[in-house]
Amino acid sequence: MASYVFYGWWDWRFLSLIAFSTIVDYLLGISIANATNRIRAKRYLLASIFTNLGLLAIFKYFNFFIDSWVDLWRLFGYEMNVSTLNIILPVGISFYTFQTMSYSIDIYRKELKPTKNFIAFATFVSFFPQLVAGPIERASNLIPQLLSKRTWNHERLKNGLFQIAVGFFRKVVVADSIGSIIDGIYNVPEINNSSSILMAVLLYSFQIYFDFSGYSDIAIGTARLLGFDFKANFKLPYFSSSITEFWRRWHISLSTWLRDYLYIPLGGNRKGVLMQYRNLFLTMLLGGLWHGSSWNFVFWGTIHGVLLGLEKRFALIPKNYNFLRNMAIFLLVSFIWIFFRSLSLSDAVLIIGKLFDADYGAPFIGDFLPFLTMVYGLFLAMVFDAYLFSTDTSLEDFGNKLGSATFVVLVSFIVINILLFYSSASNFIYFQF
């Protein structure tokens, strides 16, 4: 009930979508398990998949498909007068539909038994800490926790509180302060010089990372306080020495979902090298489209798919950390983020062109004090991440490693910084997906 109140506070009308998806997949999960043969079970599975993908097609991609169809005919000189619908994108629909689909697929694969407890299943679908922007939890991890008795755990409390504090710092002090500087540059790239564009491109890598990982930290930490353990969603992705390693560390709940429910069913690496490249390409293309109904995201995902294939083809995945390769991968990922952040493909092309204009005068930084705040917050966040990486320490377990006095001092320091440098609230970037 609390999760429904939480979601309904945004727009109560879309509670019906969550309820519909919950009821459909609850009943179909039981039907799949009770099916007398695999053909009938597969029909129930397809019903689940088509229902969830249908919701996405209508509420997320309808206008994109229509506009793309019109643009295609325009290439042949034919103007079509087609109306689109003013459809509001329900917050979190990409996350909870993937979550319920994986439930049905796991039952069909006989990797999971359906739960008969409707309340537990409804909570699994709508659990408020991760409802609107992930992580995408698996039923095999969360439902057993919902059905078991939870007891007081001091270690979980410390870990949860510390991760929540770090998440708010990453979002409020780092990501939002970066956004206040670079949003104007990305919104009107044509009036900015090459230095400003380069600064915006590099800083956006940090903005999206600290924004999204910050949300994941808050979600995972909040779940910890309530007695639940989520899987880690980020593992210091900018310390990667290959694109393959980057995707093992970035948005892990999505990348593993795509691997288990798309890449492997397509054939994975079991049907020859060429088919493996095709499967990587299609998986990342569709992964890009999952992020948003725009060709920008399709291009972004496609580029990552091509690079993953090239790394496999030429054995470009090092076994050990390499600093120079790390820097090269960071710059490459930052470059590809241009397609993700730009308002349109034409803007992305313009930004890339600006990078090579050699118009490297003084960059536009706006007011000096917000810029200084950004540098300060980014420096602290990067030093902390470097410490976690060098000591091979997980943020999820960091709080409990601290003594009581050290814990209080660090959390107090983080909270004071949040209060001092909080300026204005902005939505989490992944709320739009």
Side-chain angles (χ1 to χ4, degrees), residues 366-421:
D367 295 334
F368 182 71
L369 187 58
F371 182 80
L372 189 62
T373 299
M374 182 273 294
V375 172
Y376 167 76
L378 181 57
F379 173 76
L380 289 181
M382 291 175 65
V383 168
F384 180 64
D385 273 15
Y387 173 80
L388 293 177
F389 181 75
S390 63
T391 58
D392 194 23
T393 303
S394 167
L395 174 59
E396 285 74 18
D397 300 319
F398 190 88
N400 191 54
K401 297 181 183 297
L402 303 173
S404 297
T406 306
F407 176 85
V408 171
V409 170
L410 279 180
V411 171
S412 299
F413 174 77
I414 294 171
V415 172
I416 290 171
N417 275 273
I418 292 171
L419 296 175
L420 284 176
F421 299 111

Side-chain angles (χ1 to χ4, degrees), residues 11 59 224 230 264 300:
D11 194 326
F59 287 94
R224 282 280 182 90
F230 287 172
I264 292 177
W300 173 78

Side-chain angles (χ1 to χ4, degrees), residues 189-261:
E190 62 273 8
I191 67 172
N192 289 278
N193 62 17
S194 300
S195 299
S196 299
I197 294 294
L198 178 61
M199 179 185 70
V201 168
L202 295 177
L203 285 178
Y204 182 71
S205 293
F206 293 110
Q207 183 194 10
I208 191 170
Y209 166 57
F210 287 118
D211 188 282
F212 192 24
S213 68
Y215 179 88
S216 294
D217 292 334
I218 296 169
I220 294 170
T222 302
R224 282 280 182 90
L225 298 185
L226 297 174
F228 300 94
D229 292 318
F230 287 172
K231 302 291 186 181
N233 206 28
F234 287 87
K235 292 184 178 179
L236 308 173
Y238 290 146
F239 288 92
S240 303
S241 297
S242 67
I243 295 295
T244 301
E245 184 182 3
F246 173 80
W247 278 105
R248 290 171 182 163
R249 294 173 174 270
W250 177 274
H251 200 174
I252 300 168
S253 64
L254 175 65
S255 60
T256 53
W257 197 101
L258 293 173
R259 179 197 66 197
D260 295 343
Y261 301 108

Side-chain angles (χ1 to χ4, degrees), residues 1 34 48-50 60 95 112 131 147 157 182 204 234 267 316 355 370 385:
M1 183 60 69
N34 293 338
S48 171
I49 293 173
F50 287 144
K60 188 170 183 176
F95 292 89
L112 178 73
L131 172 60
L147 295 173
L157 174 68
I182 70 170
Y204 182 71
F234 287 87
L316 299 176
L355 289 175
D385 273 15

Side-chain angles (χ1 to χ4, degrees), residues 109-374:
R109 292 175 174 175
K110 299 187 181 299
E111 297 173 357
L112 178 73
K113 292 183 178 180
T115 179
K116 301 294 180 64
N117 189 319
F118 180 75
I119 299 299
F121 181 74
T123 305
F124 157 72
V125 177
S126 63
F127 194 36
F128 75 90
Q130 46 80 236
L131 172 60
V132 295
I136 304 170
E137 276 297 316
R138 302 289 179 92
S140 57
N141 179 53
L142 187 52
I143 288 181
Q145 296 184 65
L146 290 166
L147 295 173
S148 63
K149 184 179 180 181
R150 289 168 295 284
T151 57
W152 169 261
N153 187 306
H154 183 68
E155 295 179 0
R156 182 179 278 122
L157 174 68
K158 288 181 66 178
N159 285 331
L161 286 174
F162 190 83
Q163 191 162 5
I164 290 172
V166 170
F168 272 108
F169 182 90
R170 285 174 163 176
K171 166 61 177 172
V172 174
V173 180
V174 185
D176 286 353
S177 62
I178 293 175
S180 68
I181 294 169
I182 70 170
D183 284 350
I185 298 174
Y186 262 106
N187 292 340
V188 282
E190 62 273 8
I191 67 172
N192 289 278
N193 62 17
S194 300
S195 299
S196 299
I197 294 294
L198 178 61
M199 179 185 70
V201 168
L202 295 177
L203 285 178
Y204 182 71
S205 293
F206 293 110
Q207 183 194 10
I208 191 170
Y209 166 57
F210 287 118
D211 188 282
F212 192 24
S213 68
Y215 179 88
S216 294
D217 292 334
I218 296 169
I220 294 170
T222 302
R224 282 280 182 90
L225 298 185
L226 297 174
F228 300 94
D229 292 318
F230 287 172
K231 302 291 186 181
N233 206 28
F234 287 87
K235 292 184 178 179
L236 308 173
Y238 290 146
F239 288 92
S240 303
S241 297
S242 67
I243 295 295
T244 301
E245 184 182 3
F246 173 80
W247 278 105
R248 290 171 182 163
R249 294 173 174 270
W250 177 274
H251 200 174
I252 300 168
S253 64
L254 175 65
S255 60
T256 53
W257 197 101
L258 293 173
R259 179 197 66 197
D260 295 343
Y261 301 108
L262 186 57
Y263 174 70
I264 292 177
L266 283 172
N269 58 2
R270 303 187 305 273
K271 298 182 179 180
V273 175
L274 291 179
M275 292 300 288
Q276 181 185 14
Y277 299 156
R278 185 210 67 170
N279 297 337
L280 283 170
F281 178 81
L282 289 176
T283 298
M284 295 309 300
L285 185 153
L286 294 173
L289 187 60
W290 175 90
H291 282 83
S293 53
S294 165
W295 286 106
N296 289 45
F297 298 112
V298 174
F299 269 75
W300 173 78
T302 298
I303 294 170
H304 273 282
V306 170
L307 291 174
L308 288 171
L310 289 174
E311 285 187 344
K312 297 286 187 184
R313 171 64 179 85
F314 296 104
L316 299 176
I317 307 172
K319 295 182 179 179
N320 300 311
Y321 175 76
N322 181 290
F323 177 76
L324 292 179
R325 287 183 63 92
N326 179 195
M327 291 300 99
I329 292 300
F330 171 75
L331 293 174
L332 180 58
V333 169
S334 298
F335 180 81
I336 304 170
W337 280 130
I338 292 173
F339 292 95
F340 194 97
R341 174 59 182 86
S342 298
L343 299 180
S344 65
L345 276 179
S346 59
D347 273 4
V349 172
L350 174 62
I351 288 170
I352 293 171
K354 285 270 190 177
L355 289 175
F356 299 97
D357 272 352
D359 181 18
Y360 283 97
F364 174 77
I365 63 173
D367 295 334
F368 182 71
L369 187 58
F371 182 80
L372 189 62
T373 299
M374 182 273 294

Side-chain angles (χ1 to χ4, degrees), residues 25-179:
D25 282 296
Y26 173 76
L27 295 175
L28 287 175
I30 294 174
S31 298
I32 292 169
N34 293 338
T36 54
N37 55 65
R38 295 299 285 173
I39 295 177
R40 181 165 294 180
K42 191 171 186 177
R43 289 174 181 168
Y44 292 133
L45 172 64
L46 291 175
S48 171
I49 293 173
F50 287 144
T51 297
N52 287 289
L53 293 182
L55 291 176
L56 285 176
I58 294 171
F59 287 94
K60 188 170 183 176
Y61 299 109
F62 180 83
N63 286 339
F64 171 69
F65 292 144
I66 294 296
D67 290 339
S68 297
W69 178 253
V70 171
D71 290 341
L72 177 64
W73 281 101
R74 187 174 292 132
L75 291 175
F76 297 99
Y78 182 76
E79 288 290 337
M80 298 183 67
N81 185 18
V82 179
S83 299
T84 56
L85 301 177
N86 184 24
I87 299 176
I88 299 174
L89 176 64
V91 171
I93 189 171
S94 298
F95 292 89
Y96 68 75
T97 50
F98 268 36
Q99 203 155 286
T100 55
M101 268 197 297
S102 67
Y103 172 79
S104 300
I105 295 171
D106 286 348
I107 294 173
Y108 177 79
R109 292 175 174 175
K110 299 187 181 299
E111 297 173 357
L112 178 73
K113 292 183 178 180
T115 179
K116 301 294 180 64
N117 189 319
F118 180 75
I119 299 299
F121 181 74
T123 305
F124 157 72
V125 177
S126 63
F127 194 36
F128 75 90
Q130 46 80 236
L131 172 60
V132 295
I136 304 170
E137 276 297 316
R138 302 289 179 92
S140 57
N141 179 53
L142 187 52
I143 288 181
Q145 296 184 65
L146 290 166
L147 295 173
S148 63
K149 184 179 180 181
R150 289 168 295 284
T151 57
W152 169 261
N153 187 306
H154 183 68
E155 295 179 0
R156 182 179 278 122
L157 174 68
K158 288 181 66 178
N159 285 331
L161 286 174
F162 190 83
Q163 191 162 5
I164 290 172
V166 170
F168 272 108
F169 182 90
R170 285 174 163 176
K171 166 61 177 172
V172 174
V173 180
V174 185
D176 286 353
S177 62
I178 293 175

